[in-house]
Amino acid sequence: MLEVRGLVVRYGQLTAVHGIDVDVQEGEVAVLLGANGAGKSSTLNALSGVVPAAAGTVTFRGTPITNRRPHVVARAGLVQVAEGRRIIAPLTVRENLELGAYPVRSRARRAELAAQVADLFPELTALADRPGGLLSGGEQQMLAFGRALMADPVAMMLDEPSMGLAPIVVDRVVDAIREIAARGMSVLMVEQNAAAALDLAHTAYVLEQGEITLSGPADQVRDDPLVLRAFLGVE
Ligand code: ATP
């Protein structure tokens, strides 16, 4: 589904990502773990076309998407939900969702997608006329998700979906990701909350200073001494 080979990301003299390989299969949830500055966001941003890949290839459903512009990547079916939930504050929930559907031409398909989002996040239906900026952090995260789903993606990339959320809201977001994956969506996520992410994910990658130092099935990665110490706080 998503195949990344030898991805390099540079900012001037600084190499943030040093030639990594990542694979995400259909319906799979894969998580990238790593400390601050390890290169997690740079990886997602290079895949979605927000920052350039200095080397390497990205293939999505057999189509090369290396260094394609973000809207081209989104039209190919790979959609990123941004860190910090960049919803448009003055626009209502409904308007934010409608904006998300920009790559979808068919009105009938847009209506189907809106119904799916309403089913997944009933909370948003009640908030349809409220400006996005007045939502709570958890509601904004749901709206960011909903907006990405309106683009009719085949795979989604999530950058720190639980950041800044209360534990109960984190559970809600985790459930939503699980539900989306159960419906066949592939998910590649970056997450600081390693315990929640490893529970959810099938596959995990550990990034250290731009290199993958460990990868494999999430339950094996969870038991690795380095992961226990560095991310799960176990001595
Ligand atoms: P965090 O969780 O803190 O976002 P991260 O693992 O996502 O960390 P990145 O944000 O990808 O890491 O950053 C990797 C490295 O690249 C860091 O050294 C960072 O300072 C640098 N970097 C990231 N974005 C830029 C940029 N736009 N310009 C210059 N350097 C950058």
Side-chain angles (χ1 to χ4, degrees):
M1 158 82 46
L2 176 65
E3 198 180 282
V4 179
R5 293 291 174 268
L7 178 70
V8 176
V9 179
R10 290 201 187 97
Y11 303 102
Q13 298 292 311
L14 178 104
T15 302
V17 178
H18 292 261
I20 64 168
D21 296 348
V22 173
D23 285 279
V24 186
Q25 313 298 335
E26 198 170 331
E28 181 183 48
V29 180
V31 63
L32 288 179
L33 301 174
N36 284 341
K40 305 179 300 295
S41 301
S42 298
T43 300
L44 291 198
N45 288 337
L47 301 185
S48 59
V50 175
V51 303
T57 58
V58 184
T59 311
F60 183 63
R61 305 170 84 200
T63 305
I65 56 161
T66 323
N67 285 328
R68 293 290 193 275
R69 309 239 328 237
H71 70 273
V72 176
V73 175
R75 270 194 215 285
L78 180 61
V79 169
Q80 181 169 15
V81 180
E83 182 178 16
R85 307 176 268 285
R86 271 185 237 132
I87 55 160
I88 302 172
L91 297 188
T92 65
V93 166
R94 182 183 295 110
E95 289 164 340
N96 269 281
L97 290 174
E98 281 165 2
L99 271 184
Y102 77 91
V104 182
R105 295 218 169 86
S106 149
R107 284 178 75 110
R109 184 64 189 147
R110 284 180 180 220
E112 268 173 36
L113 289 162
Q116 280 176 22
V117 170
D119 180 42
L120 198 59
F121 299 115
E123 298 92 330
L124 293 181
T125 308
L127 298 168
D129 296 317
R130 187 166 303 180
L134 297 184
L135 303 186
S136 70
E139 290 163 352
Q140 289 191 1
Q141 182 61 62
M142 286 179 218
L143 178 55
F145 254 114
R147 193 173 68 174
L149 285 167
M150 289 297 292
D152 205 4
V154 178
M156 289 176 94
M157 297 194 288
L158 311 175
D159 198 339
E160 311 249 352
S162 78
M163 192 170 67
L165 301 183
I168 188 158
V169 185
V170 172
D171 289 347
R172 180 75 184 84
V173 169
V174 165
D175 284 347
I177 298 170
R178 193 172 276 127
E179 174 67 31
I180 291 166
R183 295 179 187 190
M185 182 86 63
S186 305
V187 177
L188 175 60
M189 60 191 278
V190 162
E191 190 47 79
Q192 295 273 346
N193 185 341
L198 286 169
D199 263 358
L200 177 66
H202 305 105
T203 308
Y205 295 85
V206 175
L207 259 182
E208 287 183 84
Q209 294 175 4
E211 296 190 45
I212 289 173
T213 50
L214 181 68
S215 65
D219 45 5
Q220 283 176 26
V221 169
R222 185 195 289 118
D223 292 336
D224 186 273
L226 175 141
V227 173
L228 288 171
R229 242 193 341 268
F231 302 115
L232 299 173
V234 178
E235 291 302 323

